[in-house]
Amino acid sequence: MILPKLTRLSAGLVVMVLAAGCGLVRSPSMDRRGADTFEDDVVTARTLTEEFWSRQFQQLGRTYRPIADFIPYSADSGPSCGDQPAVPNNAFYCPLGHFIAFDQDWMEGLWNEMGDGSVYVIIPHEFGHSVQAQLGTDFSLNIESELQADCYAGGTLSALVGSGALTMDAGDENELFASLAAVGDPTDDWLNPAAHGTAEQRQASFAKGYQSGVGAC
Ligand SMILES: [Zn+2]
C-alpha cells in the first residue's frame, strides 16, 4: 500500500504539500500534445516499470513475472485481496492473484494537484512490492518492506531517467519528494504493523535508490 495514512494528516499540511508540487515527469514519446493525460501517465509508468524489472531480472538470470492484472477502481468498488477489502484513497499490490489495484479518482486527484510525479512514485512503489513477492523477500516489520518499496521506486525512476525513457523537468525532484512527504506517517512508529515510515524516512529511502540504484535497496 502506498497511502493508508493520508486521512491522519492535518488538512493544512496536505494543502501545503500539494501546493509545493510544480514540474512534471514526462515520457517524450507520450508528449505528443504538449501535455500527457492522467491515463497516459498511468500506462507509461506501468509499462516502463515492468520493462525495467524485466531487464533487471534478466541480468540476474531470472524471469520477471508480469503482474496478472492492473485494476483501476472507484470508492469501494475495488477488488479484495484475500479477506482484505480494497479501501478508497489507496493503491496496493495483492500477492494473492499477483495484481495491482488503485483508486483512480484519488490518484487522478493527486496527479491534478501535485503533478504527474505522484503517479511515478505510486506505481513503481507498488511494483516494488510485486518484486519483493517474486524474490521471496521477507521482512519482520511492515515498515521495512514499505521503505524498500520506496527505494525500489527511486531506483526504477533514476534508471528510466538515465536511459532516456523519462525526462526530468525543473522542479520534478521537489514534486517526487513532496509526494513522498504527503504519504509519510505522522510519527515514527517503527513497530506499528501499518507503519510506512515518516516523510523523512520515506524520502531518504527513495533517495538511496535514486542515487545508488535498486541493487542498493
Ligand atoms: Zn507499500
Side-chain angles (χ1 to χ4, degrees):
M1 287 194 187
I2 186 94
L3 209 161
K5 297 285 183 59
L6 185 61
T7 50
R8 282 174 54 182
L9 293 170
S10 76
L13 176 61
V14 173
V15 169
M16 189 188 74
V17 168
L18 296 182
C22 44
L24 299 170
V25 178
R26 290 186 194 287
S27 158
S29 60
M30 303 296 290
D31 198 15
R32 290 182 300 266
R33 295 175 309 279
D36 296 343
T37 63
F38 167 70
E39 287 78 12
D40 288 339
D41 281 323
V42 168
V43 170
T44 302
R46 175 200 179 170
T47 306
L48 293 179
T49 301
E50 288 213 287
E51 285 174 4
F52 166 76
W53 282 112
S54 294
R55 288 192 298 272
Q56 286 296 119
F57 273 61
Q58 222 166 16
Q59 282 166 20
L60 296 171
R62 305 180 59 137
T63 304
Y64 173 79
R65 196 159 60 91
I67 53 167
D69 214 343
F70 191 63
I71 307 169
Y73 64 89
S74 296
D76 291 315
S77 72
S80 55
C81 179
D83 55 7
Q84 289 276 101
V87 295
N89 304 329
N90 199 19
F92 64 94
Y93 165 72
C94 178
L96 311 164
H98 190 47
F99 67 83
I100 287 172
F102 57 96
D103 180 337
Q104 58 184 345
D105 303 322
W106 163 73
M107 203 148 79
E108 187 164 10
L110 292 177
W111 185 88
N112 279 321
E113 292 164 50
M114 303 189 68
D116 55 7
S118 53
V119 167
Y120 287 95
V121 168
I122 294 169
I123 291 177
H125 172 100
E126 299 308 335
F127 274 102
H129 288 310
S130 85
V131 166
Q132 290 168 336
Q134 293 184 60
L135 296 178
T137 316
D138 199 14
F139 290 109
S140 52
L141 296 174
N142 186 64
I143 188 172
E144 298 175 292
S145 117
E146 293 304 330
L147 290 176
Q148 186 185 53
D150 287 337
C151 184
Y152 278 160
T156 302
L157 280 187
S158 73
L160 293 175
V161 170
S163 72
L166 287 176
T167 359
M168 291 277 272
D169 294 339
D172 278 345
E173 240 169 277
N174 291 340
E175 192 176 293
L176 295 170
F177 277 80
S179 299
L180 285 162
V183 296
D185 292 339
T187 58
D188 186 2
D189 193 1
W190 193 260
L191 297 176
N192 184 327
H196 279 59
T198 62
E200 292 75 19
Q201 288 164 345
R202 299 196 69 167
Q203 289 171 338
S205 198
F206 180 89
K208 180 170 80 171
Y210 199 90
Q211 282 153 16
S212 308
V214 294
C217 299

